[in-house]
Amino acid sequence: MSDAILPLPAPLARPLKQAITRGVVALFNDRSRGEAPVIRRADSLFGPDSVAWRVHGDVTSMMVGGVASLMLQMLHPAVLAGVWDHSRFREDMRGRLRRTARFIALTTYGGREEAESAIARVRAIHGHIRGTLPDGTPYQANDPSLLAWVHVTEVTSFLAGWIRYGEPGMTLTDRDRYIAEMARIGEALGADPVPRSRAEALDLIEAMRPALRVDARTREVARLVLGQPAPHRLAEPVQSLTMGAAVDLLPGWARRMHGLPDPVLSRPLLRAGTRGVARTLRWAFA
């Protein structure tokens, strides 16, 4: 399907584009903390010709993939415990999502020093996060295997979102290139093992599935993620589509673990609506 939308006269198109871009920029940048959009730098860790620049530049598919990755990550009890015990996600879910999005932007598009500084900050935070699971098992956020789970769920979800809503015809070579490029971030954060192809990523997910669990805390965090209020009423339809598309993006086994229905009947409209949002945002930012 073409990304083109019906052309509007310039006097109408310009203010509409500005309104859309302002809303998106405000969503991902906390002005109270002096945040501004990350400037794309040629000296970034990946560079303009990378697959990562292409995948991470699409707002809609990244939002859908980001929510799907969170739903996968929380299935690991130690990852869930780190969020439950050491974050203010209940009061500041949007802030948590914004910080994650900014980290991805900085490590993808920012200059090398910006990216390395962002990675160092995350590693320092991880160094202080540790605790005990409800069954008495100790955990720590800098555990390489836990970081590997977070990494692999993110990269596979971002890639799946991009293929579905951005580039359905993406070549197998570029899919593997993306996973290989993102291995650089996983390694820098301390993850081990780190996949370098889509096949390796899927094998890693399969290997870690026996450790996944669902309990009352998992259900509570999932409810907060999927039910978070939109930033304003006009954004409610888009947010509803995003959350539905994220659930649809999950592997079937993950949806079943969460007790979420397979959106068989609503899937065509859900995907068509999400593609419409994606085309509109690309038009606004073009």
Side-chain angles (χ1 to χ4, degrees), residues 1-251:
M1 183 180 295
S2 170
D3 279 349
I5 65 173
L6 291 175
L8 291 175
L12 295 178
R14 190 174 300 109
L16 180 56
K17 283 187 173 188
Q18 290 173 344
I20 292 172
T21 55
R22 277 198 304 268
V24 173
V25 167
L27 183 64
F28 291 107
N29 298 275
D30 188 346
R31 292 181 180 177
S32 68
R33 301 177 61 175
E35 292 178 353
V38 175
I39 302 299
R40 296 188 177 207
R41 297 270 299 273
D43 64 335
S44 69
L45 294 180
F46 302 108
D49 296 328
S50 66
V51 183
W53 267 46
R54 193 160 90 231
V55 173
H56 293 177
D58 189 64
V59 176
T60 303
S61 61
M62 286 296 286
M63 289 194 299
V64 171
V67 173
S69 72
L70 286 176
M71 298 295 289
L72 285 169
Q73 288 165 19
M74 71 180 69
L75 292 173
H76 196 298
V79 174
L80 176 71
V83 174
W84 187 275
D85 296 339
H86 299 276
S87 77
R88 296 176 55 250
F89 71 93
R90 296 173 187 81
E91 301 85 24
D92 189 28
M93 178 61 73
R94 187 171 294 114
R96 178 177 177 82
L97 295 173
R98 180 189 290 125
R99 288 187 290 275
T100 300
R102 189 163 187 83
F103 174 81
I104 294 165
L106 283 169
T107 53
T108 304
Y109 301 111
R112 186 176 301 272
E113 289 186 5
E114 289 179 289
E116 292 174 349
S117 177
I119 291 169
R121 284 196 300 272
V122 170
R123 293 202 66 155
I125 292 169
H126 285 168
H128 297 288
I129 296 177
R130 60 189 66 223
T132 305
L133 300 181
D135 66 1
T137 304
Y139 72 85
Q140 51 187 10
N142 59 7
D143 181 332
S145 66
L146 297 186
L147 293 169
W149 176 246
V150 172
H151 174 75
V152 74
T153 53
E154 283 189 351
V155 297
T156 54
S157 296
F158 292 150
L159 180 60
W162 171 246
I163 292 169
R164 179 166 296 171
Y165 295 110
E167 190 182 355
M170 187 181 197
T171 65
L172 296 178
T173 298
D174 276 357
R175 298 179 193 198
D176 283 344
R177 275 186 60 201
Y178 173 72
I179 300 294
E181 288 172 2
M182 294 306 293
R184 184 170 189 174
I185 304 300
E187 289 178 336
L189 288 171
D192 186 35
V194 176
R196 285 172 173 75
S197 69
R198 189 166 180 269
E200 288 183 6
L202 296 177
D203 286 346
L204 178 56
I205 289 174
E206 195 63 27
M208 297 192 75
R209 277 184 61 184
L212 308 183
R213 301 285 185 274
V214 171
D215 59 16
R217 301 203 302 186
T218 318
R219 288 187 286 273
E220 172 68 6
V221 176
R223 182 186 66 80
L224 289 170
V225 169
L226 295 178
Q228 60 182 295
H232 49 78
R233 292 193 63 180
L234 292 177
E236 288 176 1
V238 173
Q239 179 144 316
S240 178
L241 273 174
T242 300
M243 296 305 167
V247 171
D248 179 41
L249 195 68
L250 288 171

